[in-house]
Amino acid sequence: MMNMDKENINRIQTKSKIPLPLDPLPAISGHVFKKRRNSETEYRHPLKTINNQQTNLTGSVGSSKKTKRVLNTAAQPLKLDTRHVTLRQASEDLDWDYNVFKDKSEEENSVISISDDEDNIENNRREVQYFADNIQRNCLGDAKKNATPVLNSLEHSRIKNIKRSLKRPHSRELQGLSSVLIQDRKEDEKHKRRLNFNERLHERLQSPDFFKRLYMTCLSRDYISDMYMYLLSAEKKTIVPRIPSITRACVINWLLKVNGADGDPTIVQTACWYLDAVLGIGHVQLDKLQLVAAACFWISQKLHGPSVQASRLVKCANRAFTGEQLMAAEKAVLYKLRFPRQPVVPQDYITYLSWWCDSSHPGEIEVAATFLCLSGLMVDKALCDEYPSVVGAAAVRNALLLLKKKDAMMRFVVCPVFKEIEKKAQSMSFVSSVQRKAVRLMFVPSYEYKAPFEHYSCRPYYIAQRVVKAANELGMDSRLQPGTSG
């Protein structure tokens, strides 16, 4: 017997590898069995709160007097101090249709539009609705069975991921979506969409900052020779248009007003190039001249940016044509010119040559040269028979002469780009005299097309007045001296 016990003990120790205690374990206290006995007699229904469990002990097995006493006391109402305890009602009547944010008009404020182009979204929804209503008429064959049957989801897809807090009235006012401002926002929406990439006139007249000067220095050192070799080889003359100069000046004056004082002059010069090219190879009726000019301006804006909508140009033309006519004219111009590439304009040379003459203050020279160039292109159509580089270089040369910048003139003469331009010019003095006559004509009271003079005569620099005054003085001196031309 002793041997069998020793074998069992050895077998247990080999399996568990836990040493058995030498002394016997202490006895288990009686209260442990008492609690276990009470827990076995308890019965708890699922999904019931703890406060209501005592009411279900009437049929329990082995209930004691203590549990009966608990049942009797549970039937009595609880006496609690309501100042510190919040009592819950026995019956819960919840209003599931309650609206947390009650606006005055649910139909008007139920949808928050976050798109900048609400008209396109509404048009797309109408097209989808029309397609669904007339699905049997569509020539889709078996494919009509695959059409999406649920169309109501398209109505609310724009607000699916928007927080409900955005529907609050004060949130709409902070975002500019208040019902009071909706009408004004829709009226000014076309103007807000226009992006302004161009510098304002006052910013151009100021001296450039450090980063811009550093950029121009690196550009001149590394890329200018290649860029202007390409521009000089790619530029072309336009044909002299078969139209009276005064009529052409009227149309270009209107384009300058549409572009504005702070607009990019490259856009107007490109539009003039397209207009002269169309008028040089074809005939345009007088009542369609403004429409063709607007189409050329629209094409130029799309090349240089930013571009405005067709309705904006229609409004600027006092609704002399419609948007559909403008798009048709744009196609006709491109088809007539066989979809030409982007032309080289004088402003491409004016900006660089002005910076070459005075890198610390190039704005004054650039604005004066731009005023001379636009005035010459508008007044005299003879400049269409000159290269854009010659027109731009003559404008910078006139600006330095009329603003009396002798040091800048000395730098301008030794510029390598100007030397290459001078080789291509037939007569630089003739182009310069045409531009000076054009700005002198701006000062004549009887001449009514004065958009360039109005744009560049702002204070505190008064560039246009200074240029016109110096041109008048130079013209009088040339007339007094025999054998000289203005």
Side-chain angles (χ1 to χ4, degrees):
M1 189 68 179
M2 294 294 293
N3 295 330
M4 292 178 65
D5 293 339
K6 290 181 180 180
E7 289 177 1
N8 293 334
I9 291 172
N10 294 332
R11 189 182 297 111
I12 293 171
Q13 288 180 353
T14 54
K15 287 185 179 181
S16 62
K17 296 183 180 181
I18 299 176
L20 296 177
L22 299 177
D23 297 331
L25 295 176
I28 300 175
S29 58
H31 66 85
V32 175
F33 292 100
K34 185 177 180 181
K35 286 185 179 180
R36 183 179 299 173
R37 193 180 302 112
N38 292 338
S39 62
E40 291 176 355
T41 58
E42 288 182 359
Y43 180 78
R44 179 176 176 180
H45 289 277
L47 303 178
K48 291 289 186 178
T49 58
I50 298 176
N51 295 332
N52 296 331
Q53 292 299 321
Q54 301 297 338
T55 59
N56 300 325
L57 298 177
T58 55
S60 61
V61 181
S63 60
S64 61
K65 297 180 181 180
K66 188 176 181 180
T67 56
K68 291 181 180 179
R69 187 166 56 253
V70 171
L71 289 174
N72 295 332
T73 56
Q76 298 178 1
L78 297 175
K79 294 182 181 181
L80 299 174
D81 192 356
T82 57
R83 293 179 300 173
H84 307 289
V85 179
T86 303
L87 296 178
R88 190 171 183 177
Q89 298 178 359
S91 62
E92 297 181 356
D93 297 329
L94 299 178
D95 186 7
W96 299 103
D97 297 330
Y98 180 73
N99 295 327
V100 180
F101 308 108
K102 292 184 178 180
D103 296 334
K104 294 181 180 180
S105 177
E106 246 180 53
E107 297 179 358
E108 295 178 359
N109 299 329
S110 61
V111 177
I112 299 177
S113 177
I114 60 174
S115 176
D116 290 338
D117 201 351
E118 296 177 357
D119 298 335
N120 293 337
I121 295 176
E122 186 65 23
N123 293 335
N124 294 336
R125 189 188 66 80
R126 290 177 181 175
E127 290 176 3
V128 173
Q129 187 67 34
Y130 178 80
F131 176 82
D133 295 339
N134 301 275
I135 192 170
Q136 299 297 334
R137 302 179 185 177
N138 295 327
C139 300
L140 296 178
D142 297 333
K144 64 182 181 181
K145 298 179 181 179
N146 299 327
T148 305
V150 181
L151 294 175
N152 295 329
S153 61
L154 297 175
E155 185 72 19
H156 303 285
S157 61
R158 291 178 292 168
I159 60 169
K160 187 177 293 184
N161 298 325
I162 299 178
K163 296 181 179 179
R164 292 186 65 88
S165 60
L166 296 179
K167 293 185 179 181
R168 296 178 180 176
H170 69 275
S171 298
R172 288 197 299 272
E173 291 177 1
L174 291 175
Q175 297 183 22
L177 300 174
S178 178
S179 58
V180 181
L181 301 175
I182 283 176
Q183 184 176 1
D184 297 335
R185 183 179 62 83
K186 287 183 178 180
E187 292 177 358
D188 298 338
E189 189 177 8
K190 299 174 184 177
H191 305 284
K192 290 181 180 179
R193 287 180 191 166
R194 181 172 180 178
L195 303 177
N196 297 320
F197 294 105
N198 305 321
E199 290 182 330
R200 298 182 64 86
L201 184 60
H202 291 284
E203 296 176 357
R204 276 186 280 169
L205 289 171
Q206 296 175 359
S207 59
D209 56 3
F210 171 76
F211 295 101
K212 191 173 181 180
R213 251 179 283 167
L214 184 63
Y215 164 75
M216 291 297 294
T217 303
C218 297
L219 183 69
S220 176
R221 184 181 64 244
D222 300 332
Y223 302 105
I224 287 299
S225 59
D226 297 333
M227 287 175 56
Y228 282 96
M229 281 180 62
Y230 169 76
L231 290 177
L232 291 172
S233 62
E235 64 178 358
K236 295 181 180 180
K237 298 180 181 179
T238 55
I239 305 173
V240 179
R242 296 175 293 181
I243 188 176
S245 297
I246 192 67
T247 306
R248 179 177 171 274
C250 178
V251 176
I252 297 177
N253 188 77
W254 176 73
L255 293 179
L256 285 168
K257 288 185 177 181
V258 173
N259 194 45
D262 297 324
D264 190 359
T266 309
I267 296 176
V268 178
Q269 295 174 11
T270 307
C272 292
W273 191 93
Y274 281 118
L275 181 63
D276 294 334
V278 171
L279 295 175
I281 62 177
H283 176 71
V284 179
Q285 297 179 0
L286 189 61
D287 56 343
K288 301 294 183 182
L289 184 60
Q290 189 178 14
L291 174 60
V292 175
C296 295
F297 181 79
W298 206 24
I299 297 171
S300 177
Q301 275 195 326
K302 292 178 181 179
L303 289 175
H304 299 283
S307 62
V308 297
Q309 294 181 350
S311 57
R312 174 66 174 167
L313 289 177
V314 171
K315 187 177 180 181
C316 291
N318 199 13
R319 305 192 181 279
F321 48 84
T322 62
E324 291 77 9
Q325 292 176 344
L326 179 61
M327 289 186 285
E330 180 190 19
K331 294 180 182 178
V333 168
L334 294 175
Y335 180 77
K336 189 74 175 178
L337 299 179
R338 298 181 180 179
F339 294 90
R341 58 185 178 183
Q342 181 177 343
V344 182
V345 294
Q347 197 67 30
D348 296 332
Y349 302 92
I350 290 175
T351 304
Y352 173 71
L353 294 175
S354 301
W355 175 84
W356 176 273
C357 296
D358 189 0
S359 59
S360 59
H361 300 284
E364 188 177 7
I365 302 173
E366 182 181 355
V367 171
T370 305
F371 168 61
L372 285 159
C373 177
L374 291 177
S375 301
L377 290 176
M378 186 185 74
V379 173
D380 200 335
K381 62 181 182 181
L383 294 182
C384 298
D385 199 22
E386 296 289 342
Y387 284 107
S389 59
V390 178
V391 177
V396 176
R397 181 172 175 268
N398 271 328
L400 297 175
L401 178 65
L402 298 177
L403 295 177
K404 299 177 181 179
K405 294 183 177 291
K406 297 181 180 180
D407 297 337
M409 180 66 78
M410 295 175 63
R411 286 182 52 83
F412 175 72
V413 173
V414 298
C415 179
V417 177
F418 174 70
K419 291 180 179 179
E420 295 295 328
I421 294 173
E422 201 171 14
K423 296 177 183 178
K424 300 181 66 174
Q426 297 178 358
S427 177
M428 185 73 70
S429 60
F430 170 74
V431 179
S432 301
S433 64
V434 169
Q435 292 176 350
R436 290 195 297 269
K437 289 178 181 178
V439 296
R440 285 200 298 266
L441 187 61
M442 295 285 172
F443 198 68
V444 178
S446 59
Y447 192 76
E448 54 182 342
Y449 307 120
K450 299 182 179 182
F453 183 81
E454 294 172 357
H455 289 171
Y456 298 102
S457 61
C458 59
R459 57 185 182 181
Y461 297 97
Y462 300 104
I463 300 295
Q465 288 89 332
R466 292 165 57 187
V467 169
V468 171
K469 181 180 178 181
N472 288 330
E473 294 176 353
L474 187 62
M476 292 179 61
D477 294 341
S478 62
R479 285 193 295 268
L480 292 176
Q481 296 177 4
T484 59
S485 61

